[in-house]
Amino acid sequence: MVSLSDGEGNDNIIPVAWAGTVCTNPPMVSISVRPSRFSYDMLRKTGEFVINLTTEKLAYATDYCGVKSGRDVDKFKELGLHISPAAEVSAPLLDESPVNIECKVTQVLQLGTHDMFVAKVVSVHADEKYMDENGKFSLEKADPIAYSHGTYYTLGEKLGTFGYSVKKR
């Protein structure tokens, strides 16, 4: 889910299906948003957003935030979600999310039905309870979900690690 602000104290949160990592160094991501969406103008105005990892516990809220518009309802209030100020951007952090990724837009690409916002990652917050003994985030413990073609799926079962397909046995 992506949280945004208009910079004047009005916040909103939306699920974004079209999102991903686009660069390692510097760390960069992209999200794609329809210009007709309420949050689009917030995003264009501030050029800032926070990606909040969506979990199984947040599945209901994720769906609700996708079908209700911030034009009509304060989604945070309606769902009992809690927010905190971010370190580097005006958009708030979703407290219920185990990972919050603060982003500043560097480029907007008009692609058709959606505009793609390419952004630099400026700060990352991870809940300590999901960190392992080596300081690595344990994604499977957070019970992440995915969305595909109108359906939500649970994730988290480890299938292998990078290079396992060619690893000598």
Side-chain angles (χ1 to χ4, degrees):
M1 291 206 295
V2 172
S3 50
L4 310 104
S5 176
D6 66 1
E8 299 174 14
N10 300 302
D11 302 321
N12 196 32
I13 188 162
I14 58 170
V16 174
W18 308 113
T21 303
V22 295
C23 189
T24 301
N25 190 12
M28 296 184 77
V29 297
S30 71
I31 63 170
S32 294
V33 179
R34 287 181 186 263
S36 62
R37 298 295 187 218
F38 175 68
S39 294
Y40 181 89
D41 290 334
M42 291 180 163
L43 190 50
R44 286 299 296 221
K45 180 179 178 184
T46 66
E48 300 176 341
F49 61 92
V50 176
I51 296 174
N52 302 281
L53 180 68
T54 305
T55 65
E56 196 170 336
K57 288 181 181 175
L58 287 169
Y60 179 88
T62 302
D63 186 66
Y64 183 91
C65 289
V67 296
K68 293 291 187 176
S69 174
R71 284 184 183 99
D72 306 321
V73 65
D74 179 338
K75 299 176 205 177
F76 296 106
K77 183 179 176 185
E78 193 68 26
L79 293 165
L81 297 174
H82 304 91
I83 56 174
S84 296
E88 302 291 328
V89 300
S90 60
L93 308 178
L94 178 61
D95 294 345
E96 287 80 3
S97 176
V99 176
N100 315 99
I101 305 168
E102 298 182 40
C103 307
K104 290 191 177 186
V105 175
T106 60
Q107 185 177 10
V108 180
L109 303 171
Q110 296 176 335
L111 302 175
T113 59
H114 291 69
D115 286 358
M116 178 187 287
F117 294 82
V118 179
K120 185 174 182 181
V121 173
V122 295
S123 187
V124 177
H125 309 267
D127 190 324
E128 289 295 322
K129 72 181 178 183
Y130 299 107
M131 304 303 282
D132 70 13
E133 61 278 354
N134 297 317
K136 182 180 173 189
F137 184 78
S138 297
L139 182 64
E140 69 282 0
K141 292 179 183 175
D143 296 323
I145 62 171
Y147 176 82
S148 178
H149 302 288
T151 304
Y152 300 95
Y153 295 94
T154 58
L155 302 173
E157 184 178 335
K158 181 178 173 182
L159 301 176
T161 57
F162 180 76
Y164 83 99
S165 64
V166 296
K167 194 174 188 177
K168 293 183 182 183
R169 299 180 203 276

